[in-house]
Structures are given as structure tokens and as C-alpha cells.
Amino acid sequence: MKNRFRLASVAMLLAAPAFAQQPTLKIGAINPFSGPMAQYGAEVTRGFELAADKVNAGTGVLGRKVEIVQGDASTPQQGIQAVELLMNRHKVDFFAGTYTSGISNTASDAAMRFDRVYLETIALAEELTTRGLPNYLRTGPNAETFALSTVDTLRDLVAPALKKQFKDLKVWLEHEDSIYGTGIAQKQKRMLEAFGVKVVGMGAHSARSVDLNDSVLRMKVAAPDVLVETGYVADGNLLLKTMREQGMKPAATVFIGTGDTPETLQAMGSANLEGLLVIAYPRFDVSESFAPGVKGFLNAYRAKYKTDPIQTQSLTSYVGSQILFEAIQTAGSTEPQKVLAAAAKMDKPVGSYVNGFGVKFDKNFQNQRAQFTGSQWQSGKLVTVYPAKAVQPGVSLRPLGRP
């Protein structure tokens, strides 16, 4: 009996993952985990956790188990503090984030001082990569991609639906006033005007605004055909409520990067969202031909968290983590110089990952093969309607005018 027990113990040890005897590879996840944006910071981090689960089911990364350690940051200053805390207390191997661009900006700079890679999957401000930090790479899209997606959506979907020529559209650009919203709106204006589209006005507001009546009054005076809004969840919801109260009904309303959460549905109700277009990260209803394996991710999310995702950022951060893990594995190291050198050689076509992304970094380590999709609120659900390859059979664009 003792011999059989001894043999069984040896067999169990041999069957254990090779990384079981190695120190864990720690990722410092920098996101807001408290305050009004906490659930969205948690959603980004869930993507990291699911990516870690996937590699840990095999041999890990560099033969080491991946562990996620959270660093709470709701402001840029807290981003610095979170990096310092995670280094001093947990000795993390690299960092990843981030729900807001301002936090990504300061946290990545702090990570550079500790000679750690900073993976950005969500934050969009273009200057995050043009700074030239030697430890920073972004696997998701940037502000310019949002601006390009705005142009494409207005040209290919909105103008035909309104029976207008693209250049005859009158557009109002509203945005929150951080580097995220401002950067996107400036690019939208430049690109739209290059096509002859008339931008009849621009408005800026704080993401923490409690009153947007003046903003809506200015829009009403300009009488745009299309309102394009770039912001976060709370200010986006407030804008929609204020528009409803003031009876502002542009022929089409397009939200950039927000307007796609259960919180918005709860705040507005399905009838008041009907027809609203949202340009954001690829959703879970995209076709398998566009994003092979997306249903597998959704099933893994539901199994782990016992709920549906509240936003698409978890899928985007999951793919970003996979891209970084591949670069680290190829580099054989977590040293920033070696990891970025390996990343620079990555070349995978669009459609290689479960959200439809490919990977090819430019000289600033911005992924050039990451894209957004367009969706529309239809009968209380968001449905992908753009581009055509991402649309499920039987789905079509509904009227854009909101109640």
C-alpha cells in the first residue's frame, strides 16, 4: 500500500504543470477599482484574468504561472501611486491597463522608471504612443482609429439612411474635455472637413458634469443632422437625458466609445435608445467569420463570472494580453527592450484573434490592425451593424431617428 501511495504521489507531481515550481509572473493591472468607474476598470481586468487562465491551463508564460495583481487608480496621480505600491509590495514583472487615458499616461511613465513593460489595451489618446516611451505598447486602437471609424460610419451608414450626400451632412461634435475626448474630436473635425462635411459646432464638457443644459442648447441652435458624442458612461447618459428633456432630436445620434452598457439601458430605457448608433470595440455578437472564436470567449466569461460582460473592454484586454504573452514568450524575457523588439516583428492579419484584431506595430508601437465596429440599439439590445463582414445574417440597420 505504501509503495502504491508513493507511486501515485510521484505520478501526480509529474502530471503537474511545469511552472508549478517557478515563481509567478505578476501583472500589475492599473485601473479604477473604486469610485464611479470601478465596474469598468474591473471589466478591463477581467480580460487580463481570462487570458491568464488560458495560458495557465497550459505551461504559462516563460514556464511561469501568470498572476494578476490589482492597482487601484481613479486619477492620474493615483496611477503613479498604484505603480509604486505594486512594485514595492508585489515586485510585479510588468503592467497593463487602462480604462482612462490620463491614468495610462502617468502610470506608464512611472512604470518606465522601474524598467517595466506597460501594456495598453484600452486607453486611446494618440500621444500615449507618440511620446516614445521605451516600455510602452498599445495593442488596441487609438484616437485616430475612432476618428476614421466615425468618418466611415457617417459615410457608409448614416448619409445613405438620411438620403443625403456625405458632404451635405451637418455635424455637431460633442466631447468630454480630457485628452481622450479632445484628441478624438479634433481628429474627427479635421477628417470630416477634409471630405467637405460641415461641422456646425463643437462642444466640450467635463466627464463629471452634473448639468449639460447649456451644451444641448448650443446644439439646438446649430440644428445639426448628426450629433457625434465622445465621452464616458455618466456624461453620455446625462447628455441623452438632457436631450430628451429639451426635445432635441437630431436625425442621427452617434456615440463614440460609450452608450453601450447596461447602465445606459437602465438610465434611458429601451424606447429612448432606439436607433442610437455606437462606435466601440467589437461586440460579442459579431460574426465568427469576422472574429473566429468569439463565442468561446463569451462562454469562458460566463463560466468564470456567472454573468454576461457589462462592456466589450474585457474582450479587447483579453486579446491585448494574448499579444503581449506571445511577445514575451518570443523574447524569452520581460525586459522592455527585448519584449518590444519581439513585438516589432509580429505580423498577423486582421481576423487572427477572437475580437477580429490582427497585429502589426508601427514605429511607436501602436497596433495598426485593431479596429472598432458599429452597433445600434434595436428593441433594447445592441446589434452589430458595421462593417458588413461583422454583421450576423438577417441583421439590418433600423431608422436612425430616436424617439
Side-chain angles (χ1 to χ4, degrees), residues 50 284 295-309:
L50 287 166
F284 308 100
K295 299 307 179 189
F297 171 85
L298 185 57
N299 291 337
Y301 187 105
R302 288 168 171 166
K304 185 175 180 70
Y305 301 110
K306 312 306 179 188
T307 184
D308 283 341

Side-chain angles (χ1 to χ4, degrees), residues 161-332:
L162 300 184
K163 295 180 170 55
K164 286 179 173 282
Q165 295 294 317
F166 182 38
K167 64 181 180 59
D168 292 333
L169 291 179
K170 295 187 296 181
V171 178
W172 179 281
L173 300 174
E174 183 69 20
H175 64 92
E176 64 85 36
D177 59 7
S178 76
I179 57 174
Y180 159 62
T182 302
I184 292 172
Q186 289 173 345
K187 291 181 180 299
Q188 288 169 332
K189 183 175 188 295
R190 187 180 71 246
M191 291 182 185
L192 288 169
E193 289 180 340
F195 282 96
V197 176
K198 187 175 182 179
V199 177
V200 295
M202 294 182 69
H205 62 264
S206 168
R208 300 178 184 274
S209 295
V210 295
D211 187 339
L212 290 176
N213 277 290
D214 286 346
S215 298
V216 175
L217 283 170
R218 289 194 295 272
M219 294 179 208
K220 289 181 72 174
V221 171
D225 300 312
V226 185
L227 164 65
V228 176
E229 197 272 349
T230 303
Y232 292 104
V233 177
D235 61 298
N237 290 353
L238 179 59
L239 183 67
L240 288 172
K241 287 179 180 178
T242 308
M243 289 169 62
R244 181 181 61 190
E245 291 164 0
Q246 292 200 22
M248 184 189 174
K249 300 179 181 179
T253 303
V254 183
F255 267 42
I256 308 297
T258 187
D260 59 347
T261 67
E263 189 177 342
T264 297
L265 178 60
Q266 183 178 10
M268 296 302 300
S270 61
N272 289 294
L273 290 177
E274 188 71 17
L276 177 71
L277 288 174
V278 176
I279 300 174
Y281 300 99
R283 297 188 55 75
F284 308 100
D285 69 323
V286 294
S287 67
E288 286 279 340
S289 61
F290 178 84
V294 65
K295 299 307 179 189
F297 171 85
L298 185 57
N299 291 337
Y301 187 105
R302 288 168 171 166
K304 185 175 180 70
Y305 301 110
K306 312 306 179 188
T307 184
D308 283 341
I310 63 169
Q311 227 177 5
T312 55
Q313 277 85 341
S314 55
L315 177 60
T316 307
S317 59
Y318 171 84
V319 168
S321 302
Q322 288 187 315
I323 293 171
L324 180 64
F325 293 162
E326 291 170 20
I328 290 174
Q329 193 69 43
T330 299

Side-chain angles (χ1 to χ4, degrees), residues 90-145:
H90 299 283
K91 302 294 188 294
V92 299
D93 296 282
F94 58 93
F95 293 92
T98 319
Y99 187 64
T100 67
S101 293
I103 296 171
S104 180
N105 184 45
T106 56
S108 56
D109 188 68
M112 181 185 66
R113 296 196 291 272
F114 288 103
D115 195 31
R116 293 293 190 272
V117 166
Y118 197 100
L119 165 69
E120 187 49 70
T121 62
I122 300 298
L124 290 153
E126 190 169 0
E127 50 263 49
L128 292 173
T129 50
T130 57
R131 295 174 299 168
L133 287 188
N135 66 323
Y136 192 90
L137 73 165
R138 177 162 48 197
T139 53
N142 64 2
E144 184 171 11
T145 315

Side-chain angles (χ1 to χ4, degrees), residues 49-97:
E49 292 171 346
L50 287 166
D53 288 348
K54 186 171 180 62
V55 294
N56 288 344
T59 56
V61 177
L62 301 180
R64 297 163 63 183
K65 181 179 179 180
V66 176
E67 176 185 357
I68 311 298
V69 187
Q70 295 184 4
D72 186 12
S74 299
T75 67
Q77 181 60 37
Q78 289 175 357
I80 299 171
Q81 295 166 354
V83 167
E84 293 174 345
L85 178 65
L86 290 177
M87 284 303 305
N88 294 331
R89 182 174 295 178
H90 299 283
K91 302 294 188 294
V92 299
D93 296 282
F94 58 93
F95 293 92

